Amino acid sequence: MRRETVTPASEAQREAWRSGGFPEVERVRPGVWSIPVPIPINPLRYVLVYALELPGGVAIVDAGWDTDEAYGALVAGLGVTGYEITDVRAVLVTHMHPDHYGLAGRVREASGAWIGLHPADARLLAGRYDESLVGDLVRRERGLLARSGVPEPSLDELAGASMMIRRFVSMARPDRLIEDGERLDLPGWDLRAVWTPGHSPGHLCFAEPERRLLFSGDHVLPRITPIVAVHPQSGPNPLADYLEALAAVGRLDVEEVLPAHEYRFLELAGRVGDVIAHHHERLAEIEAVVGAADGISCWDTATRLTWSRPWESIPSYMRRGANNETLAHLVWLEAAGRLRRVAGEPDLWFPA
Ligand SMILES: [Zn+2]
Ligand SMILES: [Zn+2]
């Protein structure tokens, strides 16, 4: 669902987003830079890496995809800020997705920087990207899709749908685990980790109360909402985690939000309110679809919802995401006592 209710903090950056272009490296504040790094074959086009100046170097928030093009853009972007890749002292990664974590290992190799990640994402790295374990992940995904009611002929294709992206992620292990509330040891900065699970189990935002900045990763974006889905590596009720973490972030005293995609913006609390309202509308829509059927699978529910395009024209690898996102909402409604599930192959959903 797309909205445009936020006030951009940088007209130039917003314009670059809107026109399908590539934003410039920008100085956000004295000592804070925004560096766009391209993402291959993805409508999001780039991830915004932030460079925070330290005495004698920089820390970066997120790194980008592990491609030569992305690495080149990061090196060149740092050059605009007056630094070199060898000046990077720390890579603070908001979460383990390849557009954020992918390049971290290469940056460490070039600079000796430490990589920090939340333990809940660090724990999942091996199962997700290790060649020997990934078969198990696909098997569990297949089981989840079967219980959702995905038709048998599509099961294998959907279960293996994201395996090609593993090519873009090197298996770097983090050097430090960053816990909720931790104050990061970065001279000149009062940077606090805020654990915001939902989009991934170990997603982190970083708040800077003195400068009133929030590095929001994928947790809060100006125009789109991040995928919150049930999958083999998610928590049992990721939407509940997400909405709770969203409300908590909305209470922070923040002037400007520095997200990982699209463009930076103001008025965090308003955006948080809109995203929460969006999910409650979606919950109501799903409750109505289940209410109109006499026992319905997750997959059949998903096919009856409104998406950004008709269900028939959604490519199959994206239908898996749609199914798993629908499941996250069903599970939330079950936990709230608004729906009940009768387990089987597939699970069927009924009004409570
Ligand atoms: Zn992500
Ligand atoms: Zn992302």
Side-chain angles (χ1 to χ4, degrees):
M1 178 118 354
R2 317 215 139 174
R3 292 150 186 266
E4 191 135 19
T5 54
V6 301
T7 309
S10 160
E11 277 300 337
Q13 205 176 59
R14 201 260 300 256
E15 211 28 60
W17 167 258
R18 271 223 282 234
S19 64
F22 198 70
E24 303 282 327
V25 173
E26 288 186 349
R27 196 175 81 146
V28 177
R29 289 274 195 292
V32 191
W33 298 84
S34 143
I35 303 172
V37 171
I39 311 175
I41 356 164
N42 187 304
L44 290 175
R45 298 206 301 278
Y46 55 84
V47 62
L48 295 168
V49 171
Y50 295 96
L52 285 52
E53 293 182 23
L54 310 170
V58 288
I60 60 174
V61 176
D62 286 330
W65 282 62
D66 188 14
T67 64
D68 291 341
E69 193 195 355
Y71 186 72
L74 180 59
V75 170
L78 280 171
V80 174
T81 74
Y83 289 90
E84 293 180 29
I85 196 79
T86 49
D87 295 324
V88 180
R89 303 280 172 264
V91 186
L92 313 172
V93 187
T94 58
H95 62 300
M96 62 171 166
H97 290 164
D99 49 330
H100 302 256
Y101 193 74
L103 261 185
R106 199 157 159 186
V107 173
R108 177 172 62 190
E109 261 169 53
S111 64
W114 57 267
I115 301 172
L117 190 67
H118 188 274
D121 270 18
R123 237 191 335 266
L124 300 175
L125 276 175
R128 193 176 172 94
Y129 301 118
D130 198 316
E131 213 60 54
S132 64
L133 297 173
V134 88
D136 178 56
L137 192 64
V138 173
R139 205 157 36 248
R140 284 189 291 149
E141 179 71 51
R142 195 180 192 283
L144 184 151
L145 293 170
R147 280 194 309 284
S148 295
V150 172
E152 178 71 33
S154 307
L155 270 177
D156 287 327
E157 187 192 352
L158 261 65
S162 62
M163 287 306 110
M164 57 84 65
I165 66 162
R166 287 184 304 118
R167 283 191 287 125
F168 298 102
V169 179
S170 58
M171 260 300 294
R173 308 299 300 175
D175 304 285
R176 299 191 193 176
L177 299 179
I178 303 175
E179 301 281 353
D180 185 32
E182 189 176 323
R183 184 176 187 276
L184 289 134
D185 171 28
L186 300 174
W189 288 86
D190 183 20
L191 202 66
R192 316 278 172 137
V194 186
W195 183 38
T196 48
H199 175 59
S200 85
H203 192 288
L204 288 169
C205 293
F206 299 100
E208 226 290 357
E210 233 163 82
R211 294 171 173 85
R212 299 178 66 219
L213 296 174
L214 181 74
F215 298 90
S216 66
D218 283 358
H219 186 57
V220 199
L221 298 162
R223 217 179 50 97
I224 54 170
T225 58
I227 273 214
V228 177
V230 173
H231 55 81
Q233 289 195 327
S234 73
N237 190 349
L239 186 58
D241 297 341
Y242 178 68
L243 292 175
E244 194 181 313
L246 203 54
V249 153
R251 289 189 290 270
L252 296 173
D253 177 27
V254 168
E255 185 194 350
E256 182 169 342
V257 185
L258 306 177
H261 301 288
E262 302 187 319
Y263 47 85
R264 49 201 173 89
F265 62 98
L266 310 173
E267 295 153 13
L268 170 65
R271 179 61 186 152
V272 161
D274 282 352
V275 175
I276 291 174
H278 155 73
H279 282 286
H280 282 284
E281 280 164 27
R282 196 60 160 171
L283 288 162
E285 185 188 4
I286 289 171
E287 195 176 19
V289 167
V290 173
D294 186 24
I296 186 168
S297 71
C298 176
W299 178 258
D300 286 340
T301 304
T303 65
R304 292 177 202 189
L305 300 176
T306 22
W307 300 97
S308 55
R309 54 184 125 169
W311 183 259
E312 296 68 40
S313 58
I314 299 178
S316 65
Y317 71 93
M318 288 175 73
R319 287 184 184 180
R320 182 180 79 176
N323 178 78
N324 293 4
E325 233 179 335
T326 304
L327 186 55
H329 288 79
L330 288 167
V331 164
W332 188 98
L333 287 162
E334 180 186 38
R338 284 161 59 178
L339 294 180
R340 72 192 161 86
R341 162 169 33 184
V342 175
E345 288 271 334
D347 290 349
L348 291 178
W349 296 86
F350 296 86

